[in-house]
């Protein structure tokens, strides 16, 4: 059984913790409430996000690992400094360092801006979150440098909407995954590959076979199915590839199949025909099948039911197995 999608937890941890701090920054809550935020920042915003980051790198998503680990560490550091300064004999004493804090906040704004650039290939939700987050850090830096309460309040409002955006993205991923379709909008990839025709011969080129494990990897990443002829081409291409690969087996001509569904899209009116075609292949040519599907941040391995298949079509971007040997190892691990 494959791992689930850890990204929603990371988004919720970031959103909830940021939301709590922004209550203080906007003036809605007492300054002392920061100590409550610190407790949440340590366990939920800090440790929670860093655990998510570890699972994301296991899934193969460098971007989500960098994001969640960075902000998880940020929250742990913020909470540590806050709690340490509250002690009677704090190493920080009563020192004030507005210049250092300004530079600190600017560098986090720059990092968030860099993350924003990466999200331009992701989806609307993440783009909005990182635009707002970058702006929040820059405004906090300006407020620290100028001691302006008005700018601090403005930063608080931007941070508030950042948190709401992260919270929405996390919840949307959970709901869309559970329903197997886009119930809540904003997670579709911004960039889609140009439409191109699909032929039986091209499909055969997208297959690779590992004789030792009797496994075939279908590298369907970026495939766009928008004509009925494409479905027929996929069926015949996969069928021919399997028959050619197993013609000397002397037994049943069936294989274990691993399919990469990264950024695959299927025209809505062809979805039922497509999945009927896959059921035909499963009955006649597959011993087993594993499908890789992806979230808005990274990659997860999906199961074989209809709902998970549809989810593979509707989620965002991430990395997948690079060759049939790696995929076969994942299959054998899952089967074991």
């Amino acid at each position: 059984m494959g791992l689930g999608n850890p990204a929603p937890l990371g988004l919720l941890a970031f959103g909830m913790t940021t939301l709590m701090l922004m209550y203080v920054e906007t003036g809605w809550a007492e300054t002392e409430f920061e100590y409550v935020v610190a407790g949440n920042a340590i366990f939920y915003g800090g440790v929670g996000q860093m655990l998510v980051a570890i699972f994301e790198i296991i899934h193969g998503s460098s971007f989500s690992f960098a994001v969640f680990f960075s902000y998880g560490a940020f929250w742990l550091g913020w909470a540590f400094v806050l709690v340490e300064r509250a002690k009677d004999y704090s190493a920080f004493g009563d020192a004030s360092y507005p210049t250092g804090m300004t530079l600190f906040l600017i560098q986090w704004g720059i990092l968030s801006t860099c993350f924003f650039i990466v999200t331009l290939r992701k989806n609307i939700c993440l783009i909005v979150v990182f635009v707002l987050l970058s702006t929040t850090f820059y405004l906090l830096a300006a407020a620290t440098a100028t001691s302006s309460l008005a700018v601090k309040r403005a930063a608080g409002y931007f941070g508030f909407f950042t948190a709401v955006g992260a919270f929405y993205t996390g919840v949307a991923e959970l709901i869309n995954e559970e329903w197997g379709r886009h119930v809540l909008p904003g997670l579709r990839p911004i960039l889609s590959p140009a439409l191109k025709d699909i032929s039986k011969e091209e499909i055969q080129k997208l297959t690779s076979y590992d004789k030792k494990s009797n496994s075939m990897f279908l590298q369907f990443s970026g495939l766009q199915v928008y004509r009925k002829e494409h479905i027929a081409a996929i069926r015949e291409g996969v069928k021919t590839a399997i028959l050619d690969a197993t013609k000397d087996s002397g037994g049943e001509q069936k294989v274990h199949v691993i399919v990469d569904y990264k950024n695959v899209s299927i025209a809505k009116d062809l979805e039922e025909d497509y999945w009927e075609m896959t059921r035909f292949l499963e009955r006649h040519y597959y011993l087993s099948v594993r499908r890789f599907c992806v979230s808005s941040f990274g990659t997860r391995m999906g199961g074989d039911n209809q709902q998970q298949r549809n989810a593979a079509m509707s989620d965002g971007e991430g990395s997948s197995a690079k060759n049939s040997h790696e995929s076969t190892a994942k299959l054998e691990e899952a089967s074991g």
Side-chain angles (χ1 to χ4, degrees):
M1 182 177 181
L3 294 174
N5 175 20
L9 173 60
L11 288 162
L12 292 173
F14 176 81
M16 294 284 282
T17 308
T18 303
L19 199 61
M20 292 175 68
L21 181 59
M22 292 308 114
Y23 295 154
V24 178
E25 299 297 334
T26 55
W28 297 346
E30 302 81 1
T31 303
E32 291 75 16
F33 184 68
E34 284 187 341
Y35 295 106
V36 178
V37 180
N40 193 82
I42 292 171
F43 294 102
Y44 197 28
V47 174
Q49 282 195 91
M50 294 179 85
L51 286 174
V52 168
I54 292 170
F55 283 108
E56 286 289 355
I57 199 64
I58 291 173
H59 279 303
S61 178
S62 300
F63 172 65
S64 49
F65 170 76
V67 168
F68 290 125
F69 202 93
S70 295
Y71 294 118
F74 171 87
W75 281 119
L76 284 175
W78 178 86
F80 171 79
V81 172
L82 181 72
V83 172
E84 181 66 24
R85 290 197 63 138
K87 294 179 180 179
D88 292 334
Y89 301 99
S90 170
F92 294 94
D94 296 324
S96 177
Y97 27 82
T99 302
M101 280 301 299
T102 299
L103 294 173
F104 170 77
L105 291 167
I106 288 175
Q107 76 177 34
W108 275 98
I110 292 172
L111 178 62
S112 300
T113 302
C114 293
F115 287 150
F116 157 72
I117 294 172
V118 179
T119 65
L120 293 175
R121 294 185 59 87
K122 301 292 183 181
N123 56 64
I124 290 295
C125 283
L126 291 180
I127 289 174
V128 171
V129 167
F130 280 97
V131 166
L132 292 172
L133 181 58
S134 301
T135 305
T136 300
F137 275 120
Y138 292 135
L139 286 174
L140 286 172
T144 302
T146 62
S147 300
S148 171
L149 181 60
V151 177
K152 181 181 179 181
R153 292 284 187 267
Y157 285 110
F158 271 91
F160 174 82
F161 288 112
T162 299
V164 171
F167 181 85
Y168 170 84
T169 306
V171 171
E173 281 204 23
L174 290 174
I175 291 176
N176 290 355
E177 181 178 324
E178 187 65 27
W179 266 260
R181 58 189 175 86
H182 274 285
V183 177
L184 295 178
L187 298 184
R188 293 184 185 276
I190 293 294
L191 298 179
S192 297
L195 294 177
K196 63 179 182 179
D197 229 353
I198 299 173
S199 67
K200 170 185 171 181
E201 291 72 25
E202 288 176 340
I203 293 299
Q204 287 180 263
K205 293 177 183 178
L206 299 179
T207 67
S208 56
Y209 179 66
D210 180 56
K211 187 175 182 179
K212 183 178 180 181
S213 61
N214 190 31
S215 299
M216 180 165 286
F217 184 45
L218 308 182
Q219 304 176 68
F220 283 177
S221 176
L223 205 64
Q224 293 186 305
V225 181
Y226 57 95
R227 293 169 52 189
K228 283 193 174 182
E229 291 84 351
H230 294 166
I231 296 176
I234 294 171
R235 182 185 65 244
E236 293 305 312
V238 172
K239 171 185 170 182
T240 302
I242 293 174
L243 293 177
D244 288 346
T246 59
K247 61 184 177 182
D248 298 326
S249 64
E252 189 177 28
Q253 291 185 285
K254 289 188 174 184
V255 298
H256 298 287
V257 174
I258 306 98
V259 192
D260 176 7
Y261 270 125
K262 174 184 174 182
N263 291 340
V264 170
S265 63
I266 302 173
K268 192 170 183 63
D269 59 332
L270 296 179
E271 286 181 357
E272 188 54 42
D273 290 336
Y274 182 89
W275 295 119
E276 180 58 39
M277 177 271 294
T278 65
R279 287 190 287 270
F280 168 81
L281 291 174
E282 288 174 18
R283 287 193 302 269
H284 297 284
Y285 301 102
Y286 294 178
L287 291 171
S288 65
V289 58
R290 298 294 292 177
R291 294 176 173 87
F292 287 83
C293 46
V294 295
S295 74
S296 67
F297 261 104
T299 303
R300 67 183 186 278
M301 182 184 286
D304 296 330
N305 60 53
Q306 182 72 33
Q307 187 179 73
Q308 287 171 313
R309 293 175 191 175
N310 290 342
M313 300 300 100
S314 62
D315 285 342
E317 193 173 84
S319 61
S320 59
K322 292 182 174 59
N323 55 55
S324 61
H325 295 284
E326 292 176 0
S327 300
T328 300
K330 290 178 181 291
L331 175 64
E332 292 171 345
E333 180 182 349
S335 301

